[in-house]
Amino acid sequence: MEFTSEELRRYNRQLIIPDIGEEGQRKLAGAKVFVAGVGGLGSISCYYLAAAGIGHLKIADMDTVDFSNLNRQIIHWTEDIGVPKTESGARKLMNLNPHCRVETVQQKITRKNCVALVGDCGLIVDAMDNMEGRRALNAASVQLGIPYIYGGVHQLDGLISTFIPGQTPCLECVFPDDGSTIPPETPGILGPAAGVIACLQAIEAIKWIVGIQGLLTGRLLSFYGYDMTFREFRISRNPDCALCGQRRSE
Ligand SMILES: [Zn+2]
């Protein structure tokens, strides 16, 4: 696959990064990424992934744009109130980069449909706002062997890690499902805090696709906006993990 002169200009500033180059750019163009949620995290990660030249983005969200989204979900504008987030997002992404094919899924992500939804993608970017959806993504990731970039944000803080089935812990190893059914409260979120985590997720996604070393594997990176620090926690596989544990299959 050859790039047009327009594409070479569009991607020039990343093409000249030695670890990317035209070979890396071709990998990006050939990638299909599932972004689960077009909210505070997905708004930003989608923008950067489309801008970077990911060939195919599959974006999923069941909601429509509400005024209460606009402090952080900056892919959606005031004129989009009431419009499905997938539709609003796809329009911006295709305007930003017409070389990026955007596929939309306007439905809730559940344990039942998740494998079918993500099965044709090579990478999962978690931009969900609830653990139930994340557990569905993680289960599909483990079952299908598709890497899963976890991200979460709360007020001024955030978390991110990259889970690669068979190599690293999975979400369940780190945050075991205790079966609690307490309905989640609506968390306060500062827009740029979501932006920090979503940008880190986009970097990880691009690194994984291109094959750049130093992924956030076996590490949980925590961002604290109040004191402006990052802290890193070592995480390891739980042999008794209900999803990926070795002992479970014995
Ligand atoms: Zn696990």
Side-chain angles (χ1 to χ4, degrees):
M1 169 197 172
E2 291 300 314
F3 292 110
T4 63
S5 58
E6 178 243 289
E7 286 172 289
L8 292 174
R9 284 179 67 189
R10 176 185 289 271
Y11 306 125
N12 174 262
R13 293 296 286 273
Q14 65 192 51
L15 282 169
I16 59 177
I17 297 172
D19 281 323
I20 299 182
E22 280 196 43
E23 193 191 333
Q25 194 64 47
R26 269 190 284 276
K27 289 180 185 168
L28 293 173
K32 183 168 180 180
V33 178
F34 187 83
V35 182
V38 195
L41 292 170
S43 279
I44 314 293
S45 53
C46 279
Y47 251 142
Y48 277 111
L49 293 175
I54 298 290
H56 194 147
L57 281 177
K58 190 170 182 180
I59 60 174
D61 204 300
M62 63 180 291
D63 291 332
T64 54
V65 180
D66 182 85
F67 277 111
S68 64
N69 304 143
L70 301 185
N71 80 315
R72 64 197 183 285
Q73 302 182 14
I74 60 172
I75 206 169
H76 310 301
W77 304 342
T78 304
E79 66 186 32
D80 300 314
I81 298 298
V83 173
K85 289 184 182 178
T86 49
E87 184 185 321
S88 161
R91 191 168 62 243
K92 315 303 182 349
L93 297 172
M94 289 186 291
N95 270 315
L96 173 63
N97 189 351
H99 303 287
C100 177
R101 188 181 155 210
V102 183
E103 185 181 345
T104 59
V105 177
Q106 201 196 343
Q107 49 181 286
K108 185 177 178 170
I109 294 169
T110 67
R111 285 268 187 146
K112 277 192 176 146
N113 66 12
C114 198
V115 166
L117 288 178
V118 308
D120 58 347
C121 298
L123 181 65
I124 300 166
V125 176
D126 170 5
M128 308 284 296
D129 61 358
N130 66 87
M131 279 310 276
E132 189 193 342
R134 289 192 171 96
R135 293 195 193 285
L137 287 177
N138 182 59
S141 158
V142 170
Q143 185 178 333
L144 298 165
I146 300 174
Y148 163 35
I149 302 175
Y150 159 74
V153 66
H154 180 84
Q155 297 185 1
L156 277 70
D157 303 335
L159 284 172
I160 170 179
S161 189
T162 297
F163 301 131
I164 300 182
Q167 294 179 33
T168 73
C170 77
L171 182 83
E172 192 70 28
C173 293
V174 184
F175 304 111
D177 189 356
D178 60 4
S180 68
T181 52
I182 303 161
E185 287 176 38
T186 301
I189 297 177
L190 191 69
V196 167
I197 298 302
C199 284
L200 295 174
Q201 288 182 292
I203 293 173
E204 279 291 279
I206 291 166
K207 279 168 60 189
W208 185 80
I209 292 163
V210 172
I212 299 173
Q213 302 295 306
L215 291 170
L216 196 54
T217 48
R219 300 181 283 152
L220 181 69
L221 185 65
S222 189
F223 168 67
Y224 301 92
Y226 276 106
D227 51 2
M228 221 32 114
T229 54
F230 284 93
R231 268 168 250 165
E232 189 180 294
F233 303 92
R234 288 271 152 199
I235 50 175
S236 50
R237 289 184 76 178
N238 173 7
D240 297 316
C241 173
L243 272 179
C244 76
Q246 294 100 323
R247 276 183 216 159
R248 183 177 154 268
S249 55
E250 284 166 12

